Amino acid sequence: MKLIHISDTHIGRGDNALRFERVVEDLLKNPPDAPGNCVVVHTGDLIDSATEANRRAARVLLDRLAARYRVLLSPGNHDYGNAVSVSNEDALAFQQAFGDYIFQGKPASFPVLSEVGAGYVFIGLDSNAEELKFLDRLFAEGRLGGNQLWALNHMLDSPAVAGRQAFIYMHHHPFSFGYSVMPDVGDGKSLYHLFAQLTRPFRRLKDAYSFCQVARDRVQGVLFGHMHYGLDCSGDARKYGIQLALDGSSTTCTDNDGEDRMRYRVIDLSDLSQTTRMLKL
Ligand SMILES: [Fe+2]
Ligand SMILES: [Fe+2]
Protein backbone atom coordinates (compact mmCIF):
# COMPACT_ATOMS: atom_id res chain seq x y z
CA MET A 1 0.00 0.00 0.00
CA LYS A 2 1.35 3.45 -0.96
CA LEU A 3 0.54 6.67 0.82
CA ILE A 4 0.71 9.85 -1.25
CA HIS A 5 1.05 12.86 1.06
CA ILE A 6 0.06 16.28 -0.27
CA SER A 7 -0.55 19.43 1.73
CA ASP A 8 -0.91 23.20 1.82
CA THR A 9 -1.94 23.69 -1.78
CA HIS A 10 -3.39 27.15 -0.90
CA ILE A 11 -5.59 27.35 -3.99
CA GLY A 12 -6.56 30.96 -4.60
CA ARG A 13 -3.10 32.33 -3.97
CA GLY A 14 -0.99 33.19 -7.03
CA ASP A 15 -0.95 30.41 -9.59
CA ASN A 16 -1.44 27.63 -7.05
CA ALA A 17 -4.56 26.31 -8.83
CA LEU A 18 -2.45 25.75 -11.93
CA ARG A 19 0.32 24.20 -9.83
CA PHE A 20 -2.04 21.80 -8.10
CA GLU A 21 -3.57 20.92 -11.46
CA ARG A 22 -0.08 19.98 -12.66
CA VAL A 23 0.38 17.73 -9.59
CA VAL A 24 -3.03 16.11 -10.15
CA GLU A 25 -2.18 15.45 -13.80
CA ASP A 26 1.13 13.91 -12.78
CA LEU A 27 -0.57 11.59 -10.29
CA LEU A 28 -3.11 10.56 -12.92
CA LYS A 29 -0.42 9.90 -15.53
CA ASN A 30 2.26 8.42 -13.28
CA PRO A 31 0.61 6.55 -10.42
CA PRO A 32 3.26 5.32 -7.96
CA ASP A 33 1.37 2.02 -7.76
CA ALA A 34 -1.97 0.71 -8.95
CA PRO A 35 -4.36 3.47 -7.75
CA GLY A 36 -6.31 0.84 -5.81
CA ASN A 37 -3.15 0.26 -3.79
CA CYS A 38 -2.71 3.97 -3.03
CA VAL A 39 -4.31 6.45 -0.68
CA VAL A 40 -3.92 10.22 -1.05
CA VAL A 41 -3.84 12.23 2.17
CA HIS A 42 -4.17 16.03 2.02
CA THR A 43 -3.26 17.58 5.37
CA GLY A 44 -5.06 20.87 4.93
CA ASP A 45 -4.79 24.45 3.74
CA LEU A 46 -6.36 23.12 0.57
CA ILE A 47 -7.43 26.72 -0.16
CA ASP A 48 -5.76 30.02 0.74
CA SER A 49 -8.81 31.82 2.09
CA ALA A 50 -12.34 30.72 2.84
CA THR A 51 -14.19 31.93 -0.25
CA GLU A 52 -16.80 30.19 -2.39
CA ALA A 53 -14.67 30.66 -5.52
CA ASN A 54 -11.67 28.97 -3.88
CA ARG A 55 -13.79 26.09 -2.61
CA ARG A 56 -15.23 25.57 -6.11
CA ALA A 57 -11.81 25.60 -7.79
CA ALA A 58 -10.38 23.17 -5.23
CA ARG A 59 -13.37 20.87 -5.51
CA VAL A 60 -12.85 20.44 -9.26
CA LEU A 61 -9.21 19.41 -8.78
CA LEU A 62 -9.84 17.07 -5.84
CA ASP A 63 -12.64 15.42 -7.78
CA ARG A 64 -10.27 14.71 -10.67
CA LEU A 65 -7.86 13.08 -8.25
CA ALA A 66 -10.65 11.14 -6.54
CA ALA A 67 -11.75 9.67 -9.86
CA ARG A 68 -8.65 7.43 -9.63
CA TYR A 69 -7.59 7.52 -5.96
CA ARG A 70 -9.10 7.36 -2.54
CA VAL A 71 -8.61 10.86 -1.08
CA LEU A 72 -8.61 11.75 2.65
CA LEU A 73 -8.62 15.39 3.75
CA SER A 74 -8.08 17.15 7.08
CA PRO A 75 -8.90 20.86 7.36
CA GLY A 76 -6.31 23.59 7.84
CA ASN A 77 -6.58 27.08 9.28
CA HIS A 78 -6.74 28.66 5.81
CA ASP A 79 -9.66 26.38 4.95
CA TYR A 80 -11.58 27.79 7.94
CA GLY A 81 -10.48 31.41 7.47
CA ASN A 82 -6.98 32.64 6.74
CA ALA A 83 -3.45 32.87 8.16
CA VAL A 84 -4.40 34.50 11.43
CA SER A 85 -7.99 33.61 12.25
CA VAL A 86 -10.68 30.99 11.73
CA SER A 87 -14.45 31.24 12.06
CA ASN A 88 -17.33 28.87 12.72
CA GLU A 89 -19.15 30.00 9.56
CA ASP A 90 -16.17 29.31 7.31
CA ALA A 91 -15.51 25.99 9.07
CA LEU A 92 -19.07 24.87 8.40
CA ALA A 93 -18.91 25.99 4.77
CA PHE A 94 -15.68 24.03 4.24
CA GLN A 95 -16.99 20.92 5.98
CA GLN A 96 -20.14 21.04 3.86
CA ALA A 97 -18.24 21.60 0.61
CA PHE A 98 -15.70 18.81 1.26
CA GLY A 99 -17.62 16.57 3.67
CA ASP A 100 -17.19 13.47 1.53
CA TYR A 101 -13.39 13.81 1.61
CA ILE A 102 -13.21 14.85 5.27
CA PHE A 103 -15.74 12.45 6.81
CA GLN A 104 -15.58 9.56 4.32
CA GLY A 105 -19.31 8.93 4.37
CA LYS A 106 -19.43 8.84 8.18
CA PRO A 107 -21.22 11.26 10.55
CA ALA A 108 -19.67 14.74 10.49
CA SER A 109 -17.48 14.54 13.59
CA PHE A 110 -13.82 14.03 14.47
CA PRO A 111 -11.83 11.82 14.80
CA VAL A 112 -12.62 10.17 11.46
CA LEU A 113 -11.61 6.51 11.21
CA SER A 114 -11.02 4.95 7.78
CA GLU A 115 -9.87 1.47 6.93
CA VAL A 116 -7.32 1.60 4.15
CA GLY A 117 -6.33 -1.63 2.47
CA ALA A 118 -5.78 -4.63 4.66
CA GLY A 119 -4.20 -3.91 7.99
CA TYR A 120 -4.15 -0.10 8.03
CA VAL A 121 -6.39 2.51 9.58
CA PHE A 122 -6.16 6.25 9.03
CA ILE A 123 -7.52 8.66 11.62
CA GLY A 124 -8.30 12.23 10.60
CA LEU A 125 -8.30 14.98 13.22
CA ASP A 126 -9.41 18.60 13.12
CA SER A 127 -6.53 20.53 14.65
CA ASN A 128 -8.58 23.74 14.36
CA ALA A 129 -11.33 22.35 16.58
CA GLU A 130 -10.59 24.37 19.70
CA GLU A 131 -9.30 27.33 17.71
CA LEU A 132 -12.89 28.15 16.96
CA LYS A 133 -13.42 29.44 20.47
CA PHE A 134 -12.88 32.94 21.76
CA LEU A 135 -9.29 34.24 21.72
CA ASP A 136 -7.83 30.91 20.60
CA ARG A 137 -8.90 31.67 17.06
CA LEU A 138 -6.25 34.38 16.77
CA PHE A 139 -2.98 33.13 15.25
CA ALA A 140 -4.61 29.79 14.37
CA GLU A 141 -1.76 27.60 15.62
CA GLY A 142 -4.03 24.66 16.36
CA ARG A 143 -5.60 22.92 19.34
CA LEU A 144 -7.33 19.54 19.23
CA GLY A 145 -9.13 19.97 22.53
CA GLY A 146 -9.94 17.55 25.33
CA ASN A 147 -13.04 16.09 23.69
CA GLN A 148 -11.25 15.13 20.49
CA LEU A 149 -8.28 13.70 22.39
CA TRP A 150 -10.62 11.70 24.63
CA ALA A 151 -12.35 10.28 21.54
CA LEU A 152 -8.99 9.52 19.91
CA ASN A 153 -7.81 7.75 23.05
CA HIS A 154 -10.86 5.46 23.01
CA MET A 155 -10.67 4.97 19.24
CA LEU A 156 -7.09 3.71 19.51
CA ASP A 157 -8.28 1.08 22.00
CA SER A 158 -11.27 0.04 19.90
CA PRO A 159 -11.61 -3.26 17.98
CA ALA A 160 -11.60 -1.29 14.69
CA VAL A 161 -7.98 -0.35 15.33
CA ALA A 162 -6.77 -3.44 17.18
CA GLY A 163 -4.19 -5.40 15.23
CA ARG A 164 -3.87 -2.72 12.55
CA GLN A 165 -1.27 -0.07 11.94
CA ALA A 166 -2.72 3.36 12.69
CA PHE A 167 -1.78 6.58 10.93
CA ILE A 168 -3.02 9.98 12.09
CA TYR A 169 -3.36 12.95 9.76
CA MET A 170 -4.10 16.54 10.73
CA HIS A 171 -3.02 20.03 9.76
CA HIS A 172 -0.96 21.47 12.62
CA HIS A 173 2.35 19.97 13.68
CA PRO A 174 2.60 18.23 17.05
CA PHE A 175 6.39 17.97 17.10
CA SER A 176 8.78 20.69 18.01
CA PHE A 177 10.59 22.01 14.97
CA GLY A 178 14.28 21.65 15.67
CA TYR A 179 14.88 24.63 13.46
CA SER A 180 17.72 26.35 15.19
CA VAL A 181 19.44 27.75 12.10
CA MET A 182 19.27 31.53 12.08
CA PRO A 183 17.42 32.96 9.08
CA ASP A 184 19.34 34.37 6.14
CA VAL A 185 20.11 38.05 6.20
CA GLY A 186 20.41 40.21 3.13
CA ASP A 187 18.03 38.19 0.98
CA GLY A 188 15.43 40.95 0.96
CA LYS A 189 12.99 38.97 3.14
CA SER A 190 14.01 40.31 6.54
CA LEU A 191 10.50 41.08 7.73
CA TYR A 192 9.29 37.63 6.72
CA HIS A 193 12.19 35.97 8.56
CA LEU A 194 11.61 38.12 11.65
CA PHE A 195 7.91 37.22 11.70
CA ALA A 196 8.71 33.52 11.18
CA GLN A 197 11.36 33.53 13.90
CA LEU A 198 9.18 35.31 16.44
CA THR A 199 6.08 33.24 15.82
CA ARG A 200 7.66 29.79 15.31
CA PRO A 201 7.61 28.72 18.97
CA PHE A 202 3.85 29.17 19.27
CA ARG A 203 2.86 27.90 15.86
CA ARG A 204 3.11 24.35 17.18
CA LEU A 205 -0.12 22.57 18.09
CA LYS A 206 -1.04 23.94 21.52
CA ASP A 207 -1.94 20.58 23.01
CA ALA A 208 0.95 18.70 21.41
CA TYR A 209 2.03 17.28 24.77
CA SER A 210 -1.37 15.71 25.41
CA PHE A 211 -1.59 14.44 21.83
CA CYS A 212 1.78 12.71 22.12
CA GLN A 213 0.73 11.06 25.39
CA VAL A 214 -2.37 9.67 23.69
CA ALA A 215 -0.59 8.56 20.51
CA ARG A 216 2.63 7.16 21.92
CA ASP A 217 3.33 3.48 21.26
CA ARG A 218 -0.07 3.13 19.60
CA VAL A 219 0.38 4.97 16.32
CA GLN A 220 2.67 4.08 13.44
CA GLY A 221 2.79 7.47 11.77
CA VAL A 222 1.61 11.07 11.98
CA LEU A 223 1.19 13.31 8.93
CA PHE A 224 0.73 17.05 9.07
CA GLY A 225 1.35 20.29 7.18
CA HIS A 226 1.07 23.97 8.10
CA MET A 227 4.76 24.91 8.31
CA HIS A 228 5.61 24.40 4.63
CA TYR A 229 9.17 23.33 5.53
CA GLY A 230 8.68 19.68 4.61
CA LEU A 231 10.72 18.43 7.57
CA ASP A 232 10.96 14.80 8.56
CA CYS A 233 10.21 14.82 12.32
CA SER A 234 10.45 11.04 12.70
CA GLY A 235 13.46 11.40 15.04
CA ASP A 236 11.31 13.34 17.52
CA ALA A 237 8.36 11.02 17.02
CA ARG A 238 10.38 7.88 17.75
CA LYS A 239 10.85 9.15 21.29
CA TYR A 240 7.12 8.46 21.58
CA GLY A 241 7.27 5.10 19.83
CA ILE A 242 5.87 6.64 16.62
CA GLN A 243 7.96 5.55 13.64
CA LEU A 244 7.07 8.19 11.08
CA ALA A 245 6.22 11.89 11.36
CA LEU A 246 6.20 14.01 8.22
CA ASP A 247 5.44 17.61 7.42
CA GLY A 248 3.99 17.48 3.92
CA SER A 249 5.49 20.84 2.96
CA SER A 250 3.52 22.90 0.45
CA THR A 251 2.84 20.68 -2.54
CA THR A 252 2.39 23.76 -4.72
CA CYS A 253 5.54 25.38 -3.31
CA THR A 254 3.42 28.31 -2.20
CA ASP A 255 6.14 30.11 -0.23
CA ASN A 256 8.46 30.12 -3.18
CA ASP A 257 6.35 31.92 -5.74
CA GLY A 258 8.10 31.86 -9.08
CA GLU A 259 10.08 28.73 -8.25
CA ASP A 260 9.35 25.35 -9.73
CA ARG A 261 9.88 22.85 -6.96
CA MET A 262 6.45 21.35 -6.47
CA ARG A 263 6.58 18.01 -4.74
CA TYR A 264 4.74 15.21 -3.02
CA ARG A 265 5.91 12.31 -0.91
CA VAL A 266 5.14 8.66 -1.56
CA ILE A 267 5.47 6.37 1.46
CA ASP A 268 5.43 2.61 1.19
CA LEU A 269 3.38 1.53 4.20
CA SER A 270 4.94 -1.94 4.28
CA ASP A 271 8.39 -0.62 5.29
CA LEU A 272 7.80 3.16 5.70
CA SER A 273 10.39 3.94 3.01
CA GLN A 274 9.73 7.24 1.27
CA THR A 275 10.48 9.00 -1.96
CA THR A 276 9.75 12.59 -3.00
CA ARG A 277 8.48 13.30 -6.49
CA MET A 278 9.60 16.74 -7.69
CA LEU A 279 7.74 18.54 -10.47
CA LYS A 280 8.12 21.60 -12.61
CA LEU A 281 5.21 23.73 -13.72
FE1 LIG B 1 -0.31 26.40 4.82
FE1 LIG C 1 -1.79 26.28 8.02
PDB file of all heavy atoms in Angstrom, residues 8 10 44-45 77-78 171 226-228 254, ligand 1:
ATOM      1  N   ASP A   8      -1.126  21.755   1.957  1.00  0.00           N
ATOM      2  CA  ASP A   8      -0.906  23.199   1.824  1.00  0.00           C
ATOM      3  C   ASP A   8      -0.851  23.671   0.365  1.00  0.00           C
ATOM      4  O   ASP A   8       0.098  24.353  -0.032  1.00  0.00           O
ATOM      5  CB  ASP A   8       0.362  23.596   2.600  1.00  0.00           C
ATOM      6  CG  ASP A   8       0.155  23.443   4.099  1.00  0.00           C
ATOM      7  OD1 ASP A   8       0.265  22.294   4.598  1.00  0.00           O
ATOM      8  OD2 ASP A   8      -0.161  24.442   4.761  1.00  0.00           O
ATOM      9  N   HIS A  10      -3.060  25.716  -0.933  1.00  0.00           N
ATOM     10  CA  HIS A  10      -3.386  27.153  -0.899  1.00  0.00           C
ATOM     11  C   HIS A  10      -3.965  27.658  -2.224  1.00  0.00           C
ATOM     12  O   HIS A  10      -3.520  28.679  -2.757  1.00  0.00           O
ATOM     13  CB  HIS A  10      -2.149  27.969  -0.504  1.00  0.00           C
ATOM     14  CG  HIS A  10      -1.804  27.844   0.952  1.00  0.00           C
ATOM     15  ND1 HIS A  10      -2.269  28.730   1.901  1.00  0.00           N
ATOM     16  CD2 HIS A  10      -1.073  26.924   1.610  1.00  0.00           C
ATOM     17  CE1 HIS A  10      -1.816  28.361   3.100  1.00  0.00           C
ATOM     18  NE2 HIS A  10      -1.102  27.262   2.956  1.00  0.00           N
ATOM     19  N   GLY A  44      -4.461  19.573   4.658  1.00  0.00           N
ATOM     20  CA  GLY A  44      -5.063  20.872   4.931  1.00  0.00           C
ATOM     21  C   GLY A  44      -4.390  22.091   4.329  1.00  0.00           C
ATOM     22  O   GLY A  44      -3.329  22.014   3.739  1.00  0.00           O
ATOM     23  N   ASP A  45      -5.082  23.246   4.522  1.00  0.00           N
ATOM     24  CA  ASP A  45      -4.786  24.449   3.736  1.00  0.00           C
ATOM     25  C   ASP A  45      -4.925  24.111   2.250  1.00  0.00           C
ATOM     26  O   ASP A  45      -4.090  24.481   1.428  1.00  0.00           O
ATOM     27  CB  ASP A  45      -3.414  25.062   4.047  1.00  0.00           C
ATOM     28  CG  ASP A  45      -3.379  25.811   5.379  1.00  0.00           C
ATOM     29  OD1 ASP A  45      -4.443  25.906   6.037  1.00  0.00           O
ATOM     30  OD2 ASP A  45      -2.302  26.309   5.755  1.00  0.00           O
ATOM     31  N   ASN A  77      -6.093  25.769   8.837  1.00  0.00           N
ATOM     32  CA  ASN A  77      -6.584  27.077   9.279  1.00  0.00           C
ATOM     33  C   ASN A  77      -7.032  27.942   8.100  1.00  0.00           C
ATOM     34  O   ASN A  77      -8.025  28.661   8.191  1.00  0.00           O
ATOM     35  CB  ASN A  77      -5.530  27.800  10.116  1.00  0.00           C
ATOM     36  CG  ASN A  77      -4.162  27.869   9.474  1.00  0.00           C
ATOM     37  OD1 ASN A  77      -3.579  26.839   9.152  1.00  0.00           O
ATOM     38  ND2 ASN A  77      -3.652  29.066   9.281  1.00  0.00           N
ATOM     39  N   HIS A  78      -6.332  27.853   6.971  1.00  0.00           N
ATOM     40  CA  HIS A  78      -6.737  28.661   5.810  1.00  0.00           C
ATOM     41  C   HIS A  78      -8.078  28.176   5.242  1.00  0.00           C
ATOM     42  O   HIS A  78      -8.800  28.957   4.634  1.00  0.00           O
ATOM     43  CB  HIS A  78      -5.664  28.623   4.722  1.00  0.00           C
ATOM     44  CG  HIS A  78      -4.493  29.507   5.016  1.00  0.00           C
ATOM     45  ND1 HIS A  78      -4.279  30.726   4.392  1.00  0.00           N
ATOM     46  CD2 HIS A  78      -3.482  29.372   5.905  1.00  0.00           C
ATOM     47  CE1 HIS A  78      -3.173  31.279   4.856  1.00  0.00           C
ATOM     48  NE2 HIS A  78      -2.664  30.475   5.789  1.00  0.00           N
ATOM     49  N   HIS A 171      -3.727  18.908  10.380  1.00  0.00           N
ATOM     50  CA  HIS A 171      -3.023  20.030   9.755  1.00  0.00           C
ATOM     51  C   HIS A 171      -1.829  20.544  10.563  1.00  0.00           C
ATOM     52  O   HIS A 171      -0.737  20.701  10.039  1.00  0.00           O
ATOM     53  CB  HIS A 171      -4.006  21.176   9.489  1.00  0.00           C
ATOM     54  CG  HIS A 171      -3.362  22.327   8.790  1.00  0.00           C
ATOM     55  ND1 HIS A 171      -2.788  22.209   7.535  1.00  0.00           N
ATOM     56  CD2 HIS A 171      -3.129  23.610   9.167  1.00  0.00           C
ATOM     57  CE1 HIS A 171      -2.271  23.368   7.176  1.00  0.00           C
ATOM     58  NE2 HIS A 171      -2.452  24.227   8.139  1.00  0.00           N
ATOM     59  N   HIS A 226       1.097  22.661   7.449  1.00  0.00           N
ATOM     60  CA  HIS A 226       1.069  23.970   8.102  1.00  0.00           C
ATOM     61  C   HIS A 226       2.370  24.761   8.023  1.00  0.00           C
ATOM     62  O   HIS A 226       2.338  25.962   7.797  1.00  0.00           O
ATOM     63  CB  HIS A 226       0.636  23.830   9.569  1.00  0.00           C
ATOM     64  CG  HIS A 226       0.357  25.129  10.258  1.00  0.00           C
ATOM     65  ND1 HIS A 226      -0.539  26.061   9.769  1.00  0.00           N
ATOM     66  CD2 HIS A 226       0.851  25.669  11.394  1.00  0.00           C
ATOM     67  CE1 HIS A 226      -0.578  27.104  10.594  1.00  0.00           C
ATOM     68  NE2 HIS A 226       0.259  26.902  11.570  1.00  0.00           N
ATOM     69  N   MET A 227       3.533  24.127   8.257  1.00  0.00           N
ATOM     70  CA  MET A 227       4.760  24.914   8.312  1.00  0.00           C
ATOM     71  C   MET A 227       5.412  25.114   6.953  1.00  0.00           C
ATOM     72  O   MET A 227       6.255  25.990   6.798  1.00  0.00           O
ATOM     73  CB  MET A 227       5.759  24.265   9.282  1.00  0.00           C
ATOM     74  CG  MET A 227       5.402  24.459  10.734  1.00  0.00           C
ATOM     75  SD  MET A 227       5.278  26.195  11.201  1.00  0.00           S
ATOM     76  CE  MET A 227       7.003  26.545  11.557  1.00  0.00           C
ATOM     77  N   HIS A 228       5.080  24.282   5.998  1.00  0.00           N
ATOM     78  CA  HIS A 228       5.611  24.396   4.633  1.00  0.00           C
ATOM     79  C   HIS A 228       7.112  24.105   4.538  1.00  0.00           C
ATOM     80  O   HIS A 228       7.704  24.369   3.504  1.00  0.00           O
ATOM     81  CB  HIS A 228       5.355  25.787   4.018  1.00  0.00           C
ATOM     82  CG  HIS A 228       3.914  26.194   3.975  1.00  0.00           C
ATOM     83  ND1 HIS A 228       3.470  27.324   3.320  1.00  0.00           N
ATOM     84  CD2 HIS A 228       2.798  25.629   4.500  1.00  0.00           C
ATOM     85  CE1 HIS A 228       2.164  27.441   3.452  1.00  0.00           C
ATOM     86  NE2 HIS A 228       1.737  26.414   4.165  1.00  0.00           N
ATOM     87  N   THR A 254       4.079  26.995  -2.265  1.00  0.00           N
ATOM     88  CA  THR A 254       3.422  28.307  -2.203  1.00  0.00           C
ATOM     89  C   THR A 254       4.284  29.405  -1.594  1.00  0.00           C
ATOM     90  O   THR A 254       4.061  30.573  -1.850  1.00  0.00           O
ATOM     91  CB  THR A 254       2.072  28.175  -1.445  1.00  0.00           C
ATOM     92  OG1 THR A 254       1.305  29.346  -1.674  1.00  0.00           O
ATOM     93  CG2 THR A 254       2.277  27.989   0.057  1.00  0.00           C
TER      94      THR A 254
HETATM   95 FE    FE B   1      -0.313  26.397   4.825  1.00  0.00          FE
END
